[in-house]
Amino acid sequence: MKTAYINAAFFTMDQKNQIFNNGLMIIENEMIIYIGSFQNQLVEEAENIVDLKGKWVMPGLVNTHSHIVMTLLRGIGDDMLLKPWLETRIWPLEAQFTTEIAQVSTELGMLEMLKSGTTSFSDMFNPKGIDADAVMEKIGETGIRGAFSYTIFSLGTEKEQQAHLLEAERFAKKYKTSANGRLTTMVAPHSPYACTTEALLESVRIAKENELMIHIHVSETDYEIADIQQRYGHRPVEYLRRLGIFDSPTVMAHGVVLNEEEREILKAYDVRVAHNPISNLKLGSGVADIVRLLDHGIKVGIATDGVASNNNFDMFEEMRTAALLQKGMYKDATKLPAKTTLSLATRVGAEAIGMNSTGSLEQGKQADFITIYPYDKEHLQPLSEAASHLLYAANGRDVCDVYINGQLIVKDRSCLTIDEEKVIYETNRLQAKLKR
């Protein structure tokens, strides 16, 4: 069935960054088959017509690095540096998670992502003590698109580490394609500091044998650089390159501490960077030089990280912070302009995590899009400057409707696939059980 969406301003975020005021978008079989100026003949051929009543329409946002199973830990461990934050707060609390806690925490994260306009995500989760299959099933029910990846750690005895790797490989094989193609997974060694060399080499093998991407934290802090150099005689990027990590398509979360030689390596191996500006600021890790990465032709996506270090999944806030940081760091207002930044949170972000079928409104792409109703929002006035407002003024609470594969997932700020009241109740009930 063809559905025509009319009476809206369409921001395509394609290579040309086209805007179609009072435009037209037609969807058939979950795909966009037309996007452009209004044509009455095409509307007449559609079986279904949706009047968007003057809304702004843009591609769904793409969150390239998150930790949704940790959503229930929001606000715990504030004002701490990364290493003690992980070792004394986050990991001990995650060790108490049950499958029920993980499912509710995940559902809360999905709810927040969807209602703030994220339609695709890439995530790493700690599987300790939980039924990972049950969590993946819960994600599938929400209707979102994404990659949910089993994090590989090197903890416990050698036998326990081996069992962990076997389970990670099972999960990777089972969920390479899931939820009718909406969900996938990656091979996700946590980091060079939390994995042994043997675990990283196993990650390389699993990724190659199953033709999967790799998702890993790299070069997040000065401490990490010094630690890995002391342990292995190389900085993290070179160490991972020598192990073959970058021989598979790789998403590198953070990349805060990089030198010129490392940027050249990332470019040569087509390593993509998931930029988490607010989390990096809050944890005192620093500010990644995104301008220089882009100048090298490296794909950069915007990301929130987990809400325990952010503390929300609002990608509008994240991309605005990313743009302002680069302008301030360079003392140059021309750096990371609005069109570029918006593309990193949509089309380029989708490409970075291997989801090339989404991220922009153009013929042949999946119908993943969001709407904003600006007329009753003073911060989105004047209407004539909408292209600016999407970056510099809008926020996740402005999102009205969310469509994924052409299916309405959020309608008038109400999520149709998640029981919002139940999730919020269960979040607070279960969080109270954690011993701190």
Side-chain angles (χ1 to χ4, degrees):
M1 181 176 71
K2 291 182 182 178
T3 299
Y5 294 84
I6 64 170
N7 192 17
F10 294 90
F11 299 82
T12 63
M13 308 298 173
D14 60 6
Q15 291 278 5
K16 297 179 181 178
N17 271 306
Q18 301 177 91
I19 302 173
F20 297 104
N21 290 302
N22 192 28
L24 170 65
M25 183 168 67
I26 299 178
I27 294 170
E28 184 177 28
N29 297 327
E30 305 177 348
M31 307 288 290
I32 299 171
I33 63 170
Y34 176 83
I35 178 79
S37 57
F38 184 87
Q39 295 190 32
N40 191 59
Q41 181 182 347
L42 295 177
V43 175
E44 290 177 350
E45 293 172 357
E47 291 92 337
N48 187 35
I49 299 174
V50 177
D51 185 349
L52 293 175
K53 300 179 180 179
K55 292 175 181 175
W56 299 343
V57 180
M58 65 179 288
L61 300 170
V62 180
N63 189 342
T64 55
H65 177 71
S66 63
H67 298 286
I68 55 172
V69 175
M70 293 169 57
T71 306
L72 189 136
L73 301 181
R74 189 197 322 262
I76 294 176
D78 286 342
D79 308 320
M80 297 178 70
L81 294 173
L82 177 64
K83 188 174 187 293
W85 176 76
L86 284 172
E87 294 177 351
T88 69
R89 300 296 284 164
I90 299 304
W91 287 344
L93 285 167
E94 283 188 305
Q96 301 178 44
F97 273 33
T98 63
T99 298
E100 182 185 24
I101 291 173
Q103 285 182 303
V104 169
S105 190
T106 295
E107 205 168 10
L108 179 66
M110 293 287 93
L111 177 62
E112 186 177 354
M113 279 193 185
L114 288 167
K115 290 185 69 172
S116 58
T118 292
T119 56
S120 299
F121 74 103
S122 181
D123 189 273
M124 300 170 69
F125 73 97
N126 186 344
K128 185 176 177 61
I130 68 174
D131 181 345
D133 297 276
V135 178
M136 183 63 126
E137 182 179 348
K138 184 64 68 175
I139 295 171
E141 293 171 359
T142 69
I144 202 167
R145 186 185 309 283
F148 188 61
S149 304
Y150 190 109
T151 306
I152 294 171
F153 293 96
S154 295
L155 300 171
T157 65
E158 185 176 337
K159 184 177 180 180
E160 288 171 333
Q161 290 181 34
Q162 194 58 38
H164 180 71
L165 285 166
L166 288 172
E167 182 61 16
E169 183 169 12
R170 180 201 68 82
F171 190 87
K173 288 180 177 180
K174 182 173 182 179
Y175 294 108
K176 181 177 179 179
T177 302
S178 180
N180 297 317
R182 280 188 293 104
L183 297 179
T184 185
T185 189
M186 299 183 187
V187 180
H190 180 274
S191 59
Y193 58 83
C195 293
T196 62
T197 298
E198 292 72 24
L200 291 170
L201 289 172
E202 273 297 281
S203 299
V204 170
R205 179 190 64 78
I206 295 168
K208 285 184 177 179
E209 290 183 4
N210 295 281
E211 298 182 317
L212 287 169
M213 295 183 69
I214 289 176
H215 189 172
I216 182 171
H217 301 90
V218 186
S219 299
E220 188 172 357
T221 65
D222 291 322
Y223 177 87
E224 177 193 338
I225 303 299
D227 178 39
I228 298 304
Q229 194 155 25
Q230 182 178 23
R231 285 199 225 177
Y232 305 110
H234 301 285
R235 288 165 63 97
V237 169
E238 175 61 14
Y239 170 58
L240 295 174
R241 184 194 71 80
R242 287 170 177 253
L243 295 181
I245 287 285
F246 301 149
D247 292 341
S248 294
T250 300
V251 179
M252 185 179 92
H254 302 298
V256 174
V257 188
L258 296 170
N259 60 31
E260 197 67 11
E261 181 182 350
E262 289 165 333
R263 282 184 280 267
E264 291 291 345
I265 291 171
L266 300 185
K267 171 59 178 175
Y269 285 84
D270 190 26
V271 176
R272 302 89 190 269
V273 175
H275 176 43
N276 305 260
I278 296 176
S279 176
N280 293 155
L281 287 173
K282 191 185 176 199
L283 290 170
S285 301
V287 180
D289 192 335
I290 299 308
V291 168
R292 197 163 292 177
L293 289 172
L294 294 176
D295 286 345
H296 280 71
I298 296 165
K299 284 188 177 71
V300 177
I302 305 294
T304 60
D305 210 348
V307 299
S309 61
N310 177 286
N311 290 35
N312 62 55
F313 284 126
D314 189 340
M315 282 286 291
F316 285 95
E317 181 179 342
E318 205 72 46
M319 59 183 170
R320 178 163 53 253
T321 302
L324 297 178
L325 277 174
Q326 299 302 303
K327 296 173 189 298
M329 185 170 69
Y330 276 91
K331 297 182 181 179
D332 183 349
T334 68
K335 300 300 184 183
L336 215 59
K339 287 182 179 180
T340 299
T341 308
L342 286 163
S343 74
L344 302 188
T346 53
R347 175 177 51 81
V348 179
E351 293 171 358
I353 61 174
M355 297 184 182
N356 297 339
S357 67
T358 189
S360 58
L361 303 182
E362 52 187 313
Q363 185 176 341
K365 290 286 186 82
Q366 299 289 148
D368 297 351
F369 62 98
I370 63 178
T371 75
I372 292 173
Y373 185 79
Y375 300 98
D376 58 353
K377 297 178 176 67
E378 61 280 357
H379 63 286
L380 298 182
Q381 312 303 321
L383 297 173
S384 60
E385 306 307 319
S388 169
H389 300 337
L390 289 177
L391 178 65
Y392 294 119
N395 61 67
R397 293 179 298 279
D398 294 326
V399 174
C400 185
D401 309 305
V402 176
Y403 292 79
I404 300 173
N405 275 349
Q407 301 299 311
L408 188 58
I409 304 297
V410 175
K411 180 180 180 181
D412 296 327
R413 290 209 47 76
S414 178
C415 187
L416 304 180
T417 59
I418 298 173
D419 185 335
E420 299 186 29
E421 185 177 345
K422 180 181 179 182
V423 168
I424 291 171
Y425 172 80
E426 290 296 318
T427 293
N428 290 284
R429 180 182 70 84
L430 293 169
Q431 198 260 9
K433 292 186 174 184
L434 297 177
K435 296 177 182 178
R436 292 190 262 171

